[in-house]
Amino acid sequence: MSSGLTWLRVFRPALAAAILLAAGPAAAQVDLTGTWSPRYQEDFSERVPGPELGDYTGLPLTDGARRYAESWDPARITMPEEQCRVHISPYIYRGPTNIAIWDERAPGTRELVAIKHRISTFDQERTIYMDGRPHPPAYAPHTWMGFSTGLWQGNMLVVTTTHIKKGWLRRNGVPESDLATLTEYFVRTGDVLTRVSAISDPVYLTEPLVKSEEFMLNTQGVPSRSWLYKCKPVVEVVRPEGAVPHYLPGKNPYLQEFRNRYKFPESVTRGGAVQTYPAGSAPVATGAPMKPGGPALPSPKAGEVKVLHVQGQVYMLASAEGNMVVHAGDEGVLLVDTLPEGLSSAALAAIRTISDKPIHFIVNTQAGEDHTGGNEALAKAGPTRPDRAPLGSGLGGNTGGTTSIVAHENVLNRMSATQGAGTARPRGAWPSDTFFEDENDIFFNDEAVQVQHQPDATGDGDSIVFFRKSDVVVAGDVFSTTSYPVFNRAQGGSVNGVIAALNRIIRITVPTHNQEGGTMVVPGHGRLSDEMDVVEYRNMLTIVRDRIQALVAEGKTLEQVRASQPTLDYDARYGAPTGPSSPDAFVAAVYESLRAGATVKPAK
């Protein structure tokens, strides 16, 4: 069976009929346990030797996906931060792999809790929950295998997977975004296990992509060492820090090789949904991304603040307006950022579900109201004095408390309007403990907390915060999983400063052996992340910067740069319809930042 929508159109009626025929009591469920080895008669050349560069046939790609693939340089996998990444769950079953499947049951009742897969490729373990639990919220972290739930439809196991990291639709540079969802159908017929998968990606696909594989029950055993995967990255190629191998649009010299070898016209090799329909039956191709699929994932509504434990003593408070962080221990509470003023009551209520101790420190990563708006209100929940009301009174009850508000001195300069335009914010919200050096350290709750200034990033006062014992970095707005970065040139911001800040975060973070987890990163906006998520964001921003820089060097005007669509492969993921993070505004900001050649000096 070949990949693509043609197969889905043929398969869907048969699948529906099979579901109706097979629907029945639990006894109809089949045993999938055992060790399974792949058969390669389906899409053999793509799966084992690997696809050729420039071969996008049969894939319903968006124009953005095609641009990404045509710009991709295989040398990127030599980068230390890319060497140990593994294949994501939609793709990992395609390669030379063995799969061990077993049931996980509750000890007392023997009720089925989960079906487990151990995949020999990269030694990945996957859990498919069968106990009816919901999928995590949208702000929860993503993993290579994602979060999977399953249910039996007769003798067919149907699995839905969300929270998957960014990976490949095809292993020659065709991307799958981290917003994709996966639906799988597992059917056992004798000693043959068939897996059919449908990938829905609202960033890089115009229609679902369907693939299938077959596995044979292996009764001979698999050498235990074949399951092992221990990876430690090394420097394979010496490059400047943060350099990302890629081809500028239209400059990839290898795309013609596949076309020329098989005498295919370019229209065939570039892919597109039209190729998956019988001749003459395809609807008008638009190239527009498909609508999101999969279950709706809960997100904070306006006015809500949700709590997510990160690790150690650190918690993320997520809201529709951005994120803040709570660090709680025996000594009390330290906050990083305080959200807009209107969320102060909800934020304090969320904090009190974590700790009832006083708030001793507030650290601001920048001056924006979405990071500092709650400073004054939350500072009132500071250390209690005998002559003050108890913490439970009002909004903390400690008017006149002694909470220390820590930030780089340029944050104070911006909030007090002593530098630049604008109106001064209320004095009670100003930082009371400023620093002008590269770093300011705090030891609190038996943990070293490092506040590190990031010059010339979104502005001149950005900081990241590193909780060394809990192993968590709070990035502020230099990193977001929801939008392009917004930097203010009038306040010292620059595209190169944001890239430098991202590279600093990558230096600090240490992932596990498969480039997942380890040091966790809380973005200013969006979901909880790890180093690989920061790497993907850094790669995006570096590639866009390089493209625009090349056009600036050619003397192109802003309108000519916009017409070249330098962000085409990322707009569906990070571009807003309007405002400063819209593609037009973002391209203009990068263009002007690069043309200036030098950033504005930090305010003093």
Side-chain angles (χ1 to χ4, degrees):
M1 300 178 187
S2 60
S3 303
L5 278 185
T6 300
W7 198 91
L8 176 60
R9 295 187 185 92
V10 174
F11 175 73
R12 186 179 286 140
L15 175 61
I19 291 173
L20 291 174
L21 290 172
Q29 299 171 14
V30 298
D31 183 9
L32 302 183
T33 62
T35 300
W36 302 86
S37 297
R39 303 170 69 182
Y40 296 111
Q41 77 276 20
E42 303 168 53
D43 305 323
F44 178 84
S45 60
E46 176 185 333
R47 295 172 62 182
V48 182
E52 298 188 57
L53 292 175
D55 176 10
Y56 315 135
T57 55
L59 302 179
L61 301 182
T62 64
D63 293 336
R66 192 174 296 109
R67 168 71 66 82
Y68 187 105
E70 292 177 342
S71 302
W72 185 72
D73 185 344
R76 196 181 304 179
I77 63 177
T78 66
M79 299 168 60
E81 53 267 39
E82 296 270 2
Q83 291 170 16
C84 295
R85 69 180 300 160
V86 309
H87 290 321
I88 52 178
S89 54
Y91 193 90
I92 199 168
Y93 292 83
R94 302 284 285 172
T97 187
N98 291 285
I99 306 169
I101 301 179
W102 69 97
D103 291 345
E104 185 177 275
R105 296 183 176 273
T109 64
R110 304 303 298 163
E111 292 289 332
L112 181 62
V113 175
I115 295 174
K116 308 280 282 193
H117 286 199
R118 192 161 197 91
I119 305 165
S120 65
T121 305
F122 304 122
D123 193 14
Q124 293 296 290
E125 186 168 304
R126 183 181 179 201
T127 301
I128 301 169
Y129 290 104
M130 303 293 294
D131 56 0
R133 69 183 66 192
H135 284 247
Y139 49 87
H142 288 206
T143 62
W144 300 120
M145 295 296 100
F147 184 92
S148 301
T149 56
L151 56 88
W152 286 101
Q153 293 184 354
N155 63 357
M156 178 170 60
L157 177 64
V158 181
V159 179
T160 301
T161 304
T162 59
H163 296 78
I164 311 167
K165 282 185 175 292
K166 183 175 177 293
W168 306 116
L169 288 170
R170 183 170 286 172
R171 195 166 34 97
N172 57 358
V174 181
E176 179 180 320
S177 84
D178 61 340
L179 300 185
T181 57
L182 171 67
T183 304
E184 296 162 286
Y185 306 89
F186 292 91
V187 178
R188 178 175 179 174
T189 307
D191 287 346
V192 177
L193 177 65
T194 301
R195 172 186 180 262
V196 178
S197 63
I199 303 165
S200 297
D201 188 344
V203 177
Y204 290 127
L205 292 176
T206 62
E207 300 182 12
L209 174 63
V210 176
K211 301 180 182 181
S212 62
E213 302 86 31
E214 288 184 347
F215 300 83
M216 292 293 297
L217 185 63
N218 187 328
T219 59
Q220 305 303 312
V222 179
S224 59
R225 288 186 177 274
S226 69
W227 303 95
L228 300 178
Y229 176 69
K230 301 298 181 185
C231 181
K232 183 180 184 300
V234 297
V235 176
E236 295 183 347
V237 180
V238 178
R239 300 185 178 97
E241 182 185 40
V244 179
H246 65 96
Y247 291 105
L248 295 175
K251 302 296 184 181
N252 189 334
Y254 302 106
L255 294 179
Q256 299 298 328
E257 291 183 356
F258 175 73
R259 301 166 187 168
N260 294 339
R261 180 178 297 113
Y262 299 102
K263 310 302 181 184
F264 286 152
E266 183 178 348
S267 60
V268 170
T269 61
R270 286 169 58 82
V274 67
Q275 296 179 4
T276 69
Y277 289 81
S281 67
V284 177
T286 63
M290 63 182 295
K291 294 181 179 180
L297 303 177
S299 298
K301 299 176 183 177
E304 289 184 333
V305 176
K306 298 294 186 180
V307 177
L308 179 67
H309 181 228
V310 179
Q311 57 192 21
Q313 301 181 104
V314 176
Y315 299 78
M316 184 175 93
L317 269 56
S319 77
E321 289 78 12
N323 299 324
M324 65 180 286
V325 161
V326 177
H327 177 258
D330 292 340
E331 291 185 70
V333 174
L334 180 152
L335 306 180
V336 181
D337 294 331
T338 55
L339 301 177
E341 182 180 5
L343 290 179
S344 295
S345 294
L348 186 66
I351 293 166
R352 289 301 173 231
T353 67
I354 301 168
S355 173
D356 61 357
K357 294 182 180 295
I359 298 172
H360 288 267
F361 295 97
I362 294 173
V363 180
N364 291 146
T365 61
Q366 60 155 271
E369 203 272 341
D370 56 335
H371 293 263
T372 62
N375 278 8
E376 184 171 14
L378 294 178
K380 293 177 180 179
T384 304
R385 289 168 35 185
D387 58 336
R388 301 292 184 184
L391 286 172
S393 174
L395 188 64
N398 187 19
T399 56
T402 57
T403 299
S404 178
I405 303 177
V406 180
H408 191 270
E409 65 176 4
N410 288 335
V411 174
L412 175 60
N413 292 337
R414 300 300 175 187
M415 293 181 68
S416 63
T418 57
Q419 294 287 343
T423 304
R425 303 272 296 282
R427 182 177 293 272
W430 295 358
S432 56
D433 183 357
T434 62
F435 65 99
F436 61 88
E437 307 93 339
D438 178 67
E439 186 173 303
N440 186 267
D441 297 337
I442 304 169
F443 196 86
F444 186 62
N445 286 330
D446 196 33
E447 178 156 9
V449 184
Q450 296 177 300
V451 185
Q452 302 176 355
H453 180 226
Q454 308 302 305
D456 308 324
T458 68
D460 56 15
D462 290 282
S463 294
I464 63 173
V465 182
F466 180 30
F467 295 95
R468 285 172 43 177
K469 186 176 180 180
S470 295
D471 203 16
V472 177
V473 174
V474 185
D477 277 356
V478 299
F479 172 52
S480 168
T481 68
T482 61
S483 70
Y484 289 124
V486 177
F487 47 91
N488 189 328
R489 286 197 60 244
Q491 294 187 3
S494 69
V495 62
N496 284 327
V498 176
I499 292 173
L502 293 169
N503 283 323
R504 188 173 189 179
I505 293 172
I506 293 169
R507 287 199 305 272
I508 292 171
T509 51
V510 180
T512 63
H513 71 280
N514 62 357
Q515 197 63 36
E516 180 179 272
T519 309
M520 300 303 291
V521 182
V522 179
H525 299 263
R527 62 175 172 82
L528 181 60
S529 302
D530 58 19
E531 181 187 271
M532 197 67 227
D533 300 305
V534 181
V535 168
E536 295 286 6
Y537 197 73
R538 186 279 312 271
N539 290 355
M540 173 276 294
L541 190 54
T542 300
I543 289 170
V544 171
R545 187 273 313 271
D546 290 353
R547 291 173 180 173
I548 297 177
Q549 181 68 72
L551 296 172
V552 169
E554 295 174 4
K556 302 296 186 183
T557 65
L558 174 58
E559 289 311 309
Q560 289 173 320
V561 172
R562 281 175 168 160
S564 74
Q565 297 181 285
T567 59
L568 175 64
D569 31 354
Y570 302 105
D571 287 343
R573 179 63 182 83
Y574 297 110
T578 59
S581 60
S582 66
D584 275 356
F586 175 60
V587 169
V590 175
Y591 177 82
E592 295 299 337
S593 176
L594 295 173
R595 283 193 67 212
T599 54
V600 178
K601 295 293 184 182
K604 294 292 183 182

